[in-house]
């Protein structure tokens, strides 16, 4: 069941990320600027943040089989609408719909946490995240390659069919369940905000992920502009190939989960934040072009990916321990913070690249990470974590 849920996470998460690889193709196909086409990526991520806030709390109210199948079906229809969009404005609207409804992975994560003992939650979270990472990476390869071959509409059409097929499979495979609460929908939404206000560990976890994921989104929005620009002159499929290099992250997140189970979330978060700053320095050399630049992009993006995803495992283990009955609402608050940060990171990346080129994108990654690191060090000093043997 964990494997099936991990595959589902990958299918759903991929719908958020493949537009990053096809953004240059959208610009050419719809005869709009690169900045306008990049709004498709931003719209999808803003929609995803909205879907997390509006729909993920229903995981505590609606049986998860019903909720997961419904969301996958709606995202499939949204992708179909995007494939048929006649212009950039309808595509942006359809992208928002896709983002809102493709939040299945965020429903699955708290559900799975309640199915295993507390001492195994890190390992299970790492396994599910590996599925999400696989979808994230393969979707970029798929989007860029298929988009160059058949046009930018083809990836949207194919992912629509995959989402609808998976929905049919899960409608038969997932067992029936009962919801842990009977609260009304407005109360569920209010609970997410209340938890964010009353739980300090939730607030700082959400802040960490908003900053780090903002840097991650800035990288992948900017790298598409870099690789398809004059420095490299490559096609959209190059973005997917670069993402595929990061497949090693799928092997690292289960290891990170076990380290969280053994050493605690704070220790893993500290290592991850330092690693992001190192990654930003390595990525700076990507602007050199040629083989050296490509090697720097591969190594730097892999390090950033491993650090961001491992930090996600640490943060989710921390917040899921806060309440057994409100995990979906806790995850709602946390992931809303994360994807708002990611959306802002994507938007800032386009402007940083336009104003300062690739060094501006690398600097943005570092600037976004530094406040999270300073906040975490202050917390660990206050808790005595940095002075204990």
């Amino acid at each position: 069941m964990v494997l099936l849920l991990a595959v589902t996470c990958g299918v759903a998460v991929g719908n958020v990320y493949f537009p990053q690889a096809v953004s240059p193709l959208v610009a050419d196909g719809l005869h709009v600027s690169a900045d306008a086409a990049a709004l498709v990526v931003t719209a999808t991520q803003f929609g995803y943040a909205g879907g997390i806030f509006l729909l993920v709390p229903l995981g505590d109210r609606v049986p998860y089989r019903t909720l997961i199948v419904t969301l996958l079906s709606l995202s499939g229809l949204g992708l179909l609408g995007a494939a048929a969009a006649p212009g950039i404005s309808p595509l942006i609207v359809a992208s928002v719909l896709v983002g809102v409804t493709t939040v299945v992975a965020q429903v699955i994560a708290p559900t799975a946490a309640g199915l295993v003992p507390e001492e195994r939650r890190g390992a299970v979270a790492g396994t599910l995240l590996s599925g999400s990472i696989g979808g994230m990476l393969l979707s970029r390869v798929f989007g860029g390659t298929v988009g160059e071959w058949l046009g930018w509409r083809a990836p949207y059409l194919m992912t629509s069919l995959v989402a609808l097929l998976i929905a049919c499979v899960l409608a038969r495979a997932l067992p029936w369940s009962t919801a842990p609460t009977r609260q009304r929908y407005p109360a569920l939404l209010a609970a997410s905000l209340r938890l964010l206000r009353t739980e300090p560990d939730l607030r700082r976890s959400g802040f960490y992920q908003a900053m780090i994921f903002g840097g991650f989104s800035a990288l992948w929005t900017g790298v598409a502009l870099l690789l398809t620009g004059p420095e490299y002159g490559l096609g959209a499929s190059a973005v997917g190939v670069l993402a595929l290099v990061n497949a090693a992250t799928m092997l690292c997140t289960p290891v990170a989960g076990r380290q969280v189970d053994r050493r605690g979330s704070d220790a893993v978060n500290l290592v991850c934040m330092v690693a992001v700053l190192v990654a930003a320095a390595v990525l700076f050399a990507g602007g050199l072009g040629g083989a050296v630049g490509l090697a720097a992009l591969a190594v730097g993006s892999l390090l950033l990916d491993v650090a961001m995803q491992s930090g996600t495992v640490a943060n989710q283990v921390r917040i899921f321990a806060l309440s057994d009955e409100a995990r979906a609402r806790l995850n709602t608050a946390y992931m809303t913070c994360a994807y708002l940060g990611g959306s802002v990171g994507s938007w800032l990346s386009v402007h940083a690249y336009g104003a300062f080129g690739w060094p501006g994108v690398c600097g943005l990654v570092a600037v976004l990470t530094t406040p999270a690191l300073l906040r975490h060090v202050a917390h660990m000093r206050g808790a005595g974590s940095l002075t204990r043997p």
Side-chain angles (χ1 to χ4, degrees), residues 19-388:
Q20 291 177 334
V22 301
S23 175
L25 301 176
V26 170
D28 291 339
L30 295 180
H31 308 292
V32 297
S33 67
D35 289 0
L39 289 176
V40 173
V41 178
T42 302
T44 305
Q45 292 186 340
F46 267 120
Y48 198 69
I52 290 170
F53 179 74
L54 295 171
L55 299 180
V56 172
L58 292 173
D60 288 334
R61 178 66 174 79
V62 178
Y64 63 82
R65 183 176 71 179
T66 300
L67 184 58
I68 290 171
V69 170
T70 300
L71 290 176
L72 276 172
S73 300
L74 291 175
S75 65
L77 295 176
L79 289 162
L80 191 62
I88 190 65
S89 295
L91 178 58
I92 290 174
V93 172
S95 296
V96 172
L97 176 60
V98 171
V100 168
T101 56
T102 192
V103 294
V104 171
Q106 309 312 325
V107 175
I108 290 174
T111 298
L115 300 178
V116 298
E118 184 175 356
E119 62 272 14
R120 290 196 60 238
R121 286 176 185 167
V124 171
T127 300
L128 292 176
L129 191 55
S130 290
S132 296
I133 294 168
M136 188 186 306
L137 300 179
L138 294 176
S139 67
R140 291 194 185 105
V141 178
F142 164 80
T145 303
V146 173
E148 281 196 336
W149 184 31
L150 299 174
W152 69 267
R153 297 180 190 274
Y156 283 97
L157 179 60
M158 293 182 183
T159 51
S160 170
L161 298 177
V162 170
L164 294 173
L165 177 62
I166 292 292
C168 293
V169 171
L170 293 178
R172 297 183 61 86
L174 289 178
W176 183 253
S177 65
T178 57
T181 182
R182 303 299 297 175
Q183 289 189 28
R184 290 177 173 270
Y185 178 66
L188 292 175
L189 294 183
S192 297
L193 296 174
R194 185 179 67 253
L195 288 167
L196 194 61
R197 186 181 70 251
T198 59
E199 295 287 353
D201 282 346
L202 176 61
R203 283 199 304 275
R204 67 184 181 93
S205 297
F207 176 67
Y208 296 164
Q209 196 65 9
M211 296 295 100
I212 303 301
F213 190 63
F216 174 84
S217 296
L219 163 68
W220 286 105
T221 299
V223 83
L225 300 173
L226 176 68
L227 291 178
T228 58
E231 291 87 350
Y232 288 93
L234 300 175
S237 60
V239 181
V241 173
L242 178 62
L244 193 59
V245 173
N246 296 340
T249 309
M250 297 173 62
L251 304 177
C252 295
T253 50
V255 175
R258 290 192 289 271
Q259 290 301 311
V260 172
D261 290 336
R262 183 179 306 167
R263 304 177 187 277
S265 292
D266 283 353
V268 173
N269 275 136
L270 180 61
V271 173
C272 292
M273 291 175 189
V274 173
V276 172
L277 291 178
V278 175
V282 174
L283 286 165
F284 185 84
L288 297 175
V292 173
L294 286 174
L297 291 176
V299 174
S301 63
L302 175 59
L303 181 57
L304 177 56
D305 202 5
V306 170
M308 190 276 290
Q309 303 292 2
S310 298
T312 299
V313 175
N315 290 329
Q316 287 190 314
V317 170
R318 181 189 295 116
I319 67 170
F320 289 156
L322 297 176
S323 172
D324 291 338
E325 297 181 354
R327 291 195 185 98
R329 284 161 283 179
L330 288 164
N331 203 43
T332 293
Y334 168 73
M335 294 306 300
T336 299
C337 293
Y339 276 90
L340 284 175
S343 301
V344 172
S346 292
W347 182 78
L348 290 175
S349 179
V350 174
H351 294 280
Y353 188 87
F356 306 106
W358 181 245
V361 175
C362 299
L364 178 61
V365 173
V367 166
L368 290 172
T369 304
T370 300
L373 177 59
L374 294 176
R375 170 69 179 85
H376 190 53
V377 169
H379 168 79
M380 294 185 72
R381 283 180 173 169
S385 301
L386 292 179
T387 57
R388 288 198 301 266

